[in-house]
Amino acid sequence: MSPPVAHRASSVEPTVISEGRSLRVLRPRRAAPEAAVRPTRAEIDLSALRHNLRAIRRAAGQARVWSVLKADAYGHGAPAVARTLERAGVDGVAVALLEEGVELRSAGIRAPILVMGGYYGDAYEELLASDLVPVVYHEGHFDGLARATRTRGLSERVSVHIKVDTGMGRLGVSIDELPRLLDYAAGFPQITVDGLMTHFACADVAGDDGDASLAEQMAVFERAQAIVRAYGLAPRYVHAANSAALLRAGFDARLAAVRPGIALFGVAPLASEHRAPIDLHQTLKLRSEIVALRTVEEGAGIGYGSTWRAPRRSVIATVPFGYADGLPRSISERSADPARGRGEVIVRGKRAPIVGVLSMDLATIDVTDIAGARLRDEVVALGHQRGPLGESTITIEELARTAGLIPWDVMTSISRRVPRFYREP
Ligand SMILES: Cc1ncc(COP(=O)(O)O)c(C=O)c1O
């Protein structure tokens, strides 16, 4: 049997982080900064991340903060983000997948890690080996954990959080089935119910519809808490709030812990009039450089399908990022104004339109009005740039709106061939 292999993240082979039984958990491969030749990269501002954690802590009051770092910390790179938050004193980390939890443990994260997805296959031993806290909601979860504790030694104890479906209709035990699950759980003295959680469907739906849905779900969750107490259980962590529920004006779902994800990365769901004031800073910048420049005559077609034709003699810059890097192709579709694509980037501190459709690896932008544009100028698709012509910021919300997406989608779509650079400005 070969020992576990630990390649660097830039390795050509996927990293094997568990091997020996039938299971091999593979760490996703990403481009690493040292492998970067192309000038395209995502820059993550770690001081903005710490700032956001402080702001969230203030909003959370007495509640513990469990940072949701699933999907590679919303595309930011989970190990580096978790390390930063852990040093800044975050109370715990929540991920969706067992694999994501294992990745963080093997990166040296010591904070409690909650695995929320609930699909553990036959890998319950892996949960225990990595000291992860599973979210559970059916009897099979208890059976699997009990089997794993037996295999690993009778003294092994394990904490779980029970998830209750209070109206999201996705994962969790229903309030009607909860007593039966608790009866079943009582047969497993080695398993401690340390948490009780639910998830809101409409925390970011402004207005009465959102209010009504939240009130209904909270009422069901309160009944669930009463049922759990009636079984003599006192879970330390009762939690429900994602970013929107934490920040929503006139609503308090902080309980013992909160589970913000997107707010950590600087995006406040809900328009400002519907939420408590909070100052968040965007953590992500996506930038590249001009790698080609050409002057085209009026009427010249640009890009696949020649969907854009120069309305005048124009200067077109080519930038090496495209939809395979996670930029939504829909930002380059033509708007009502035939002279402009809808998406913009920032060059020399000034906005320039994306013209022609986005290719897999390349974007074309009209820099006719960008005085002095030249090769190697920085081009920002997301984030802030100051330059000789001014300064501007493209927020994740703006890019999402332009593309007809949600901010979560934009963040998590930045693909793994884009190396992440971590900045401490
Ligand atoms: C169960 C659960 N809790 C918390 C979060 C964090 O949500 P947000 O990023 O909106 O703060 C998510 C993300 O979708 C989730 O699935």
Side-chain angles (χ1 to χ4, degrees):
M1 194 191 308
S2 50
V5 186
H7 294 301
R8 293 183 327 170
S10 56
S11 153
V12 174
E13 291 301 316
T15 302
V16 179
I17 51 179
S18 170
E19 188 171 274
R21 297 169 300 280
S22 57
L23 176 76
R24 279 161 49 96
V25 179
L26 300 182
R27 185 188 294 179
R29 246 186 314 134
R30 301 182 194 92
E34 62 265 33
V37 173
R38 186 176 64 144
T40 302
R41 60 187 191 232
E43 293 179 357
I44 287 112
D45 180 341
L46 296 177
S47 76
L49 183 67
R50 283 192 295 271
H51 165 91
N52 295 338
L53 178 63
R54 282 194 296 276
I56 286 168
R57 266 202 187 296
R58 278 192 293 279
Q62 298 299 309
R64 307 268 179 111
V65 176
W66 287 63
S67 50
V68 177
L69 304 185
K70 56 187 178 159
D72 200 23
Y74 290 41
H76 288 63
V81 168
R83 218 169 282 128
T84 303
L85 294 175
E86 184 171 61
R87 285 186 192 138
V90 83
D91 299 298
V93 172
V95 293
L97 311 185
L98 169 61
E99 296 90 315
E100 293 172 336
V102 171
E103 179 186 24
L104 289 180
R105 269 292 174 260
S106 61
I109 300 303
R110 290 199 293 270
I113 300 176
L114 183 67
V115 182
M116 300 192 295
Y119 17 84
Y120 310 115
D122 291 326
Y124 287 92
E125 274 190 64
E126 201 71 27
L127 269 172
L128 302 183
S130 293
D131 193 20
L132 307 176
V133 181
V135 168
V136 299
Y137 45 82
H138 60 65
E139 295 172 354
H141 285 140
F142 287 88
D143 295 335
L145 283 167
R147 261 195 320 275
T149 56
R150 268 197 305 278
T151 314
R152 286 177 55 86
L154 284 175
S155 62
E156 185 100 31
R157 293 192 58 81
V158 53
S159 292
V160 300
H161 291 204
I162 291 182
K163 180 160 190 174
V164 186
D165 178 11
T166 57
M168 176 80 175
R170 196 175 67 172
L171 284 184
V173 59
S174 71
I175 185 92
D176 295 336
E177 294 290 324
L178 180 60
R180 215 173 74 191
L181 186 66
L182 294 172
D183 282 333
Y184 198 73
F188 298 91
Q190 71 277 45
I191 299 176
T192 305
V193 178
D194 204 24
L196 186 71
M197 66 179 283
T198 195
H199 191 48
F200 294 119
C202 298
D204 58 358
V205 176
D208 293 347
D209 287 350
D211 289 343
S213 168
L214 284 165
E216 260 174 53
Q217 284 199 254
M218 269 307 256
V220 178
F221 196 41
E222 275 157 23
R223 277 170 50 212
Q225 291 168 55
I227 292 170
V228 166
R229 280 195 300 273
Y231 273 76
L233 300 172
R236 275 189 299 169
Y237 302 107
V238 177
H239 51 105
N242 58 1
S243 302
L246 169 63
L247 300 176
R248 191 178 176 99
F251 180 67
D252 189 351
R254 288 176 293 184
L255 302 166
V258 293
R259 297 190 312 266
I262 200 151
L264 282 165
F265 305 109
V267 175
L270 286 165
S272 55
E273 64 271 27
H274 299 294
R275 63 173 152 80
I278 187 163
D279 173 41
L280 297 172
H281 298 172
Q282 184 166 311
T283 47
L284 190 65
K285 173 173 175 175
L286 180 63
R287 57 84 74 196
S288 189
E289 293 174 8
I290 294 176
V291 295
L293 273 171
R294 72 203 63 240
T295 300
V296 298
E297 298 304 324
E298 182 182 337
I302 296 293
Y304 285 118
S306 300
T307 56
W308 188 84
R309 289 198 175 270
R312 56 180 171 166
R313 192 163 200 261
S314 303
V315 184
I316 304 299
T318 304
V319 187
F321 48 40
Y323 60 80
D325 298 299
L327 271 182
R329 189 171 176 277
S330 56
I331 62 171
S332 66
E333 285 161 6
R334 260 162 55 151
S335 67
D337 174 359
R340 290 171 68 103
R342 289 187 300 165
E344 291 182 332
V345 293
I346 314 168
V347 187
R348 299 176 77 75
K350 188 176 171 194
R351 298 281 186 125
I354 295 174
V355 294
V357 290
L358 210 57
S359 313
M360 187 183 287
D361 318 302
L362 297 166
T364 34
I365 60 177
D366 181 356
V367 292
T368 314
D369 296 329
I370 307 291
R374 54 175 179 249
L375 289 178
R376 304 223 42 201
D377 273 351
E378 184 189 65
V379 179
V380 169
L382 257 181
H384 178 80
Q385 189 198 60
R386 181 178 290 132
L389 304 179
E391 65 181 300
S392 189
T393 302
I394 297 176
T395 63
I396 291 185
E397 292 98 316
E398 177 190 335
L399 184 62
R401 239 184 346 265
T402 307
L405 299 171
I406 56 172
W408 293 260
D409 193 338
V410 169
M411 273 189 201
T412 57
S413 296
I414 306 293
S415 73
R416 61 181 167 172
R417 82 172 181 179
V418 178
R420 271 62 168 172
F421 282 67
Y422 297 93
R423 292 174 62 96
E424 288 283 7

